[in-house]
C-alpha cells in the first residue's frame, strides 16, 4: 500500500495529482479485505488509467486492478470459452488469441487498458465491439462485498455504454473476471472497415488471417493516434453523437459533405465528432499545455504540465462551440474523476 502517491504514471493523460492511498490488488480476497478495513473511505478502481481525467487530488484509496490469470473453461472444434482475470492487459489478451488462432478480438488490437475495464464502456474499434465476445462479467459489490455475475444481456451493452457506466453503478461493482467466447474453425475475419481493407490491399494480402487483421489495425492506430507515452491523452475525448434523419437533413443544408454512419436504427445516424471539431477549427489548437491533437481532432492532449481542469476547460469550450455551430451537444467518453468517486461524471 502506498501513501500520498503521485498518480502521474497511473493515468495516460499524465495528470499530476495525488492520492491519499494506492493499493495494488492481486486477488478478489484482497478487494474484500480492503472494503472491510476502509469502509467510509472514498475508493476508485483503476485499470491502466487510459480513460480517466483527474480533476484534483483523490482524497481516498485507489484500487489498482492487477488480478492476473487466464483459464480455458471449455473448447470444441468451433469455439473456445476462456475466463480472463480483470488485471490482465487487454492487448496482451488479444495477441494471445491471435497467436492461438482464436478469432473475435483481432480488430480490437492495441486498445490500451485492462481486461476488467473492457466491458465498462464496451470497447470498440474498426468494426468490432467487445460485447460480441463477452459471455459473463464477474463482479464484487464494493458496498456489500457480495459477488454478482452479469450475463451479457444484463450488461445492457451499447455504443460506448454498459450497465456499469450508469451513474448509480459507477464505483459500485469491481469487475474482477470476464468470460469470453472466441471462435476457431469456420471463423471469418471482418475487414469491412474501410481503412483495414486499404492496408491489406497495399500489402497484397488477399486472404487475411487473424494476424494480418490485427497487424493492419495496429498500423492504422499507430499512424493516427498519439502514443500516451509521448503525449498524454485518453483516446477519443468525446463519443460520436447519434442524431435523427431530420436533424441530419437540416445540417446537410449548410454542410452538404457532413459524414455520417448508419446505426441499427433506420432513422438514427452517427456523426464523427472528430469531423465536427475539425471543421469548427479546433484541430491543432493549443492553450498552454492543453490542446487538440493536430492529426485527430477527437483527441485532447496534455503536452506536459496541463491540469485536469485545463483539459476540462478546453473540452467545455469545444462542447459550447459545437452546440452553437451544429446544434449537437457532445458527450465526453472520458470519465472525469472529481474527489469522491460518487461525484464522478462521464
Ligand atoms: P481506466 O481508465 O483505468 O478506468 C476507466 C473507468 O472504469 C474508470 O471510471 C474506472 O473507475 C473504471 N474501472 C476501471 N477498472 C474497473 C474494474 N475492474 N471494475 C469496475 N470499474 C472499473 N477505447 C475504445 O473503446 N476504443 C478505442 O479504440 C480506444 N482507443 C484508445 C486509444 C488511446 C491512445 C487511449 C489512451 C485510449 C483509448 N481508448 C479506446 C479508451 C480506453 O483504452 C478504454 O476505455 C479502456 O477500456 C480503458 O481501460 P483502463 O483499464 O485504462 O480504464
Ligand atoms: N475526422 C475528421 N477530422 C479529424 C478526425 C476525424 O474529419 O480530425 C473524420 C473523418 O471523416 C473520418 C471520421 O471522422 O473519416 C472518423 O474518424 P476515425 O476513423 O479516426 O474514427 P473516430 O470516429 O474519430 C472512432 C472511435 C475510436 C476508434 C475508431 C476506429 C469513438 C468515440 N471513437 O474514432 O475509439 O478507435 O473510431 O474504430 O467512437 C476511443 O474510444 O478512445 C477511440 C480511439
Amino acid at each position: 500500500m502506498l501513501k500520498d502517491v503521485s498518480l502521474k504514471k497511473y493515468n495516460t493523460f499524465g495528470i499530476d495529482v495525488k492520492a491519499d492511498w494506492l493499493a495494488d490488488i492481486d486477488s478478489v480476497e484482497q478487494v474484500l479485505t480492503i472494503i472491510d478495513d476502509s469502509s467510509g473511505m472514498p475508493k476508485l478502481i483503476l485499470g491502466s488509467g487510459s480513460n480517466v481525467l483527474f480533476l484534483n487530488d483523490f482524497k481516498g484509496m485507489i484500487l489498482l486492478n492487477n488480478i492476473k490469470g487466464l483459464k480455458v473453461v471449455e473448447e470444441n472444434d468451433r469455439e473456445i470459452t476462456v475466463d480472463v482475470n480483470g488485471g490482465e492487459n487487454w492487448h496482451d489478451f488479444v495477441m494471445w488469441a491471435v497467436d492461438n488462432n482464436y478469432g473475435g478480438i483481432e480488430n480490437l488490437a492495441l486498445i490500451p487498458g485492462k481486461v476488467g475495464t473492457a466491458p465498462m464502456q464496451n470497447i470498440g474499434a474498426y468494426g468490432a465491439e467487445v460485447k460480441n465476445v463477452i459471455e459473463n462479467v464477474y463482479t464484487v459489490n464494493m458496498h456489500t462485498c457480495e459477488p454478482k455475475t452479469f450475463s451479457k444481456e444484463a450488461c445492457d451493452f451499447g455504443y460506448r455504454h454498459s450497465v456499469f457506466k450508469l451513474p448509480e453503478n459507477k464505483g459500485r461493482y469491481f469487475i474482477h473476471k470476464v468470460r469470453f467466447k472466441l471462435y476457431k474453425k469456420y471463423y471469418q475475419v471482418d475487414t469491412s472497415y474501410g481503412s483495414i481493407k486499404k492496408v491489406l490491399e497495399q500489402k497484397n494480402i488477399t486472404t487475411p488471417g487473424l494476424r494480418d487483421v490485427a497487424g493492419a489495425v495496429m498500423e492504422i492506430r499507430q499512424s493516427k493516434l498519439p502514443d500516451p507515452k509521448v503525449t498524454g491523452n485518453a483516446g477519443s475525448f468525446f463519443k460520436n453523437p447519434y442524431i435523427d434523419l431530420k436533424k441530419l437533413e437540416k445540417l446537410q443544408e449548410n454542410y452538404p459533405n457532413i459524414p455520417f454512419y448508419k446505426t441499427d436504427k433506420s432513422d438514427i445516424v452517427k456523426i464523427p465528432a472528430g469531423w465536427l471539431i475539425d471543421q469548427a477549427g479546433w484541430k491543432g489548437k493549443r492553450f498552454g499545455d492543453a490542446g487538440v491533437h493536430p492529426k485527430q481532432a477527437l483527441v485532447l492532449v496534455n503536452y506536459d504540465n496541463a491540469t485536469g481542469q485545463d483539459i476540462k476547460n478546453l473540452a467545455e469550450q469545444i462542447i459550447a462551440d459545437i452546440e452553437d455551430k451544429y446544434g449537437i451537444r457532445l458527450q465526453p467518453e472520458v470519465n472525469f474523476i472529481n474527489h469522491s468517486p460518487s461525484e464522478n461524471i462521464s
Side-chain angles (χ1 to χ4, degrees):
M1 184 100 61
L2 299 172
K3 193 174 184 302
D4 268 337
V5 57
S6 163
L7 295 178
K8 193 173 168 73
K9 67 171 185 181
Y10 297 102
N11 71 101
T12 61
F13 250 125
I15 303 294
D16 196 5
V17 289
K18 273 187 175 174
D20 287 349
W21 298 96
L22 184 141
D24 209 5
I25 304 293
D26 59 17
S27 68
V28 177
E29 293 68 37
Q30 209 184 338
V31 179
L32 301 178
T33 309
I34 283 185
I35 298 172
D36 266 354
D37 290 354
S38 58
S39 66
M41 184 187 281
K43 295 181 192 66
L44 178 79
I45 309 160
L46 206 57
S48 306
S50 67
N51 211 17
V52 287
L53 180 70
F54 284 103
L55 295 177
N56 35 41
D57 289 341
F58 189 77
K59 302 277 170 211
M61 188 182 296
I62 305 279
L63 275 64
L64 209 55
N65 185 5
N66 264 319
I67 309 179
K68 296 280 167 60
L70 179 154
K71 197 172 100 195
V72 174
V73 179
E74 58 183 35
E75 185 170 7
N76 59 35
D77 270 10
R78 306 173 75 105
E79 294 163 354
I80 180 164
T81 304
V82 278
D83 281 350
V84 187
N85 284 337
E88 289 287 346
N89 176 276
W90 172 260
H91 177 71
D92 290 350
F93 172 48
V94 171
M95 292 324 285
W96 173 85
V98 168
D99 287 345
N100 287 285
N101 219 14
Y102 305 142
I105 49 176
E106 59 283 355
N107 296 48
L108 303 177
L110 224 57
I111 297 182
K114 297 283 169 87
V115 166
T117 330
M120 182 79 191
Q121 70 160 12
N122 177 27
I123 55 168
Y126 299 95
E129 283 183 313
V130 74
K131 70 171 186 178
N132 300 333
V133 292
I134 287 182
E135 292 287 294
N136 289 326
V137 173
Y138 300 89
T139 73
V140 173
N141 186 308
M142 294 284 290
H143 304 303
T144 63
C145 288
E146 277 164 343
K148 183 167 175 175
T149 301
F150 290 79
S151 66
K152 177 201 209 76
E153 294 72 28
C155 288
D156 191 28
F157 290 122
Y159 165 66
R160 297 294 189 271
H161 176 78
S162 77
V163 72
F164 306 106
K165 272 205 104 171
L166 295 175
E168 65 269 30
N169 287 340
K170 274 245 173 128
R172 179 181 294 264
Y173 298 105
F174 189 115
I175 299 171
H176 63 86
K177 186 171 76 182
V178 184
R179 177 165 292 179
F180 298 92
K181 189 183 270 181
L182 303 175
Y183 299 94
K184 296 167 72 177
K185 227 172 167 180
Y186 312 121
Y187 176 75
Q188 299 277 336
V189 292
D190 179 1
T191 58
S192 57
Y193 199 95
S195 42
I196 299 185
K197 258 193 219 136
K198 222 157 101 198
V199 172
L200 293 172
E201 273 165 21
Q202 278 162 3
K203 294 183 190 296
N204 289 322
I205 298 172
T206 47
T207 48
L210 300 179
R211 190 169 298 283
D212 300 316
V213 175
V217 166
M218 291 195 272
E219 199 175 310
I220 302 163
R221 295 185 69 95
Q222 279 162 339
S223 72
K224 271 196 187 178
L225 292 164
D227 178 354
K229 287 195 191 95
V230 180
T231 312
N233 76 92
S236 302
F237 195 91
F238 303 101
K239 295 189 223 176
N240 285 331
Y242 282 57
I243 61 169
D244 61 27
L245 288 178
K246 252 200 209 145
K247 172 100 187 156
L248 175 67
E249 280 161 22
K250 190 122 196 24
L251 282 166
Q252 282 171 328
E253 289 169 15
N254 290 328
Y255 309 98
N257 299 326
I258 187 168
F260 61 92
Y261 308 111
K262 284 185 185 158
T263 65
D264 7 341
K265 291 199 180 111
S266 60
D267 59 335
I268 303 284
V269 293
K270 185 156 83 167
I271 307 287
W275 186 89
L276 299 172
I277 300 168
D278 189 351
Q279 293 295 307
W282 288 94
K283 197 166 173 170
K285 285 263 158 74
R286 180 173 172 167
F287 306 87
D289 274 349
V292 180
H293 193 254
K295 283 200 207 158
Q296 226 301 3
L298 195 48
V299 178
L300 302 191
V301 291
N302 170 13
Y303 283 105
D304 195 7
N305 282 317
T307 63
Q309 200 57 50
D310 294 337
I311 304 281
K312 183 171 178 255
N313 290 346
L314 174 57
E316 280 169 353
Q317 285 182 57
I318 293 172
I319 291 172
D321 189 43
I322 298 303
E323 189 160 26
D324 188 43
K325 290 198 165 85
Y326 307 98
I328 294 175
R329 189 160 179 87
L330 295 178
Q331 301 293 333
E333 177 194 295
V334 170
N335 302 278
F336 290 61
I337 310 296
N338 196 6
H339 275 294
S340 155
S342 60
E343 290 170 26
N344 293 345
I345 55 168
S346 70

